[in-house]
Amino acid sequence: DIQMTQSPSSVSASVGDRVTITCRASQGISSSLAWYQQKPGKAPKLLIYSASSLQSGVPSRFSGSASGTDFTLTINALQPEDFATYFCQQANSFPLTFGGGTKVDIK
Amino acid sequence: EVQLLQSGGGLVQPGGSLRLSCAASGFTLSSYAMTWVRQAPGKGLEWVSVIGSDGGSIHYADSVKGRFIISRDTSKNTLYLQMNSLRAEDTALYYCAKYHPYNSPSRIFDYWGQGTLVTVSS
């Protein structure tokens, strides 16, 4: 199974900050990676697919990048509605696996 | 508008069975692969099962293999998860989700149901 190691597990930030979240895959997954945002009591929401493609309707302050087996989600100019938990997911092979999550909370 | 409306969760004793439903609207189930993902209370996301757009190409997580069965009824445009021999560790919020169409197969989920809670306890 492909393990997805996500870091940090939590980050405190202020409105306007830039936040960076990283996922490392235990083996190569090409660009088969997605990022999701989840707010309390809600289903996950797709932000980024294919490592760097912005899902329709998602603000452009969200971006994704990849370097080998390392994947990064960047949130520029954090907005109040961005305080949530973020998960990565590898889509390369079964079983599909998620990172452990990163909670972004208010500093 | 794409919508996934879930039902069927509840409290069940260990060893019992439960069937979850996921009624799709705004798209045709037979055109997309569909999946189930679960989330134990306060925990992360765990992929459970997938069924291909052709009704085949079925896969399960090892943790549910042999106990859970994914299926669909295209006439009702509804996805199901039959859960048998339930264990305490199956307690979770279960989500159905639709595959993103950007690639085939994408294995990435662009629309999610609202979730349904399954509690396994005596």
Side-chain angles (χ1 to χ4, degrees), chain B residues 21-55:
Chain B
S21 299
C22 172
S25 59
F27 71 101
T28 302
L29 210 59
S30 57
S31 297
Y32 297 92
M34 297 290 294
T35 197
W36 290 96
V37 174
R38 69 184 181 183
Q39 188 170 34
K43 301 297 184 182
L45 300 168
E46 180 189 15
W47 171 78
V48 172
S49 181
V50 65
I51 184 168
S53 58
D54 60 355

Side-chain angles (χ1 to χ4, degrees), chain B residues 6-17:
Chain B
Q6 297 183 227
S7 60
L11 174 64
V12 62
Q13 292 187 337
S17 298

Side-chain angles (χ1 to χ4, degrees), chain A residues 36 38 42-43 55 89 91-92, chain B residues 39 95 100 107 109 112-113:
Chain A
Y36 300 90
Q38 188 179 33
K42 299 293 187 181
Q55 172 67 357
Q89 177 232 324
N92 184 74
Chain B
Q39 188 170 34
Y95 294 102
H100 196 296
R107 305 189 189 111
F109 321 127
W112 296 63

Side-chain angles (χ1 to χ4, degrees), chain A residues 16-19 60-63 74-79 82:
Chain A
D17 284 353
R18 171 184 292 179
V19 171
S60 59
R61 63 180 179 272
F62 291 92
S63 64
T74 300
I75 312 171
N76 286 302
L78 198 68
Q79 296 299 300
D82 301 336

Side-chain angles (χ1 to χ4, degrees), chain A residues 25-78:
Chain A
S26 60
Q27 62 191 73
I29 59 170
S30 185
S31 61
S32 299
L33 184 111
W35 290 98
Y36 300 90
Q37 175 194 68
Q38 188 179 33
K39 295 181 178 179
K42 299 293 187 181
K45 172 188 175 183
L46 178 64
L47 300 176
I48 301 286
Y49 63 93
S50 193
S52 59
S53 297
L54 193 66
Q55 172 67 357
S56 175
V58 174
S60 59
R61 63 180 179 272
F62 291 92
S63 64
S65 64
S67 177
T69 58
D70 291 340
F71 299 85
T72 300
L73 173 70
T74 300
I75 312 171
N76 286 302
L78 198 68

Side-chain angles (χ1 to χ4, degrees), chain B residues 26 32 39 43-44 54 57 60 67 78 82 87-88 104 111 119:
Chain B
Y32 297 92
Q39 188 170 34
K43 301 297 184 182
D54 60 355
S57 301
Y60 297 98
R67 300 187 299 122
T78 299
Q82 176 67 43
R87 307 165 180 168
S104 183
Y111 287 92
T119 303

